[in-house]
Amino acid sequence: MVIASPPFLDTEDYGNGIELTLRNWVTSIVIPLSECGLRILNPGGFFAVHGQDRPNIPVLSSILAGFSGRGFELIGEYKYGKREGQAVLIYTFKRA
């Protein structure tokens, strides 16, 4: 099982010089995160990703798009927080 809580665009400065626009965030954070899961998970393994939508930034749907078609199947979405703005997305890994 892999558990991840990637940075949420504008909440942290990681000093890597990457301007985390939504597009850059998907290519520099979400896609590499899913590739990590592809490398280390066996079929049937689980990947839990924590996400939080930001004002006018659809973080959760971007995570969904980044994992889509890569061998992962979404099996659960657990929303919580004020107005259920945060969620843990649970995937199982199947070979692509």
Side-chain angles (χ1 to χ4, degrees):
M1 178 174 201
V2 175
I3 301 171
S5 182
F8 300 140
L9 295 161
D10 62 349
T11 59
E12 298 289 338
D13 179 3
Y14 290 90
N16 59 7
I18 298 172
E19 180 186 351
L20 288 180
T21 63
L22 186 59
R23 180 182 204 122
N24 287 346
W25 184 75
V26 169
T27 59
S28 65
I29 303 290
V30 177
I31 298 297
L33 189 61
S34 68
E35 289 171 350
C36 174
L38 293 172
R39 283 193 311 273
I40 64 174
L41 288 174
N42 291 322
F46 297 97
F47 202 132
V49 185
H50 173 250
Q52 176 180 355
D53 281 336
R54 309 296 297 159
N56 302 315
I57 303 172
V59 169
L60 295 172
S61 59
S62 297
I63 293 171
L64 291 168
F67 277 70
S68 178
R70 302 184 62 80
F72 295 97
E73 177 185 342
L74 183 66
I75 59 171
E77 182 175 357
Y78 302 95
K79 292 188 174 189
Y80 66 96
K82 292 181 182 176
R83 295 178 298 280
E84 296 187 337
Q86 297 187 55
V88 175
L89 306 173
I90 308 292
Y91 293 89
T92 187
F93 174 61
K94 300 180 176 197
R95 292 278 176 218

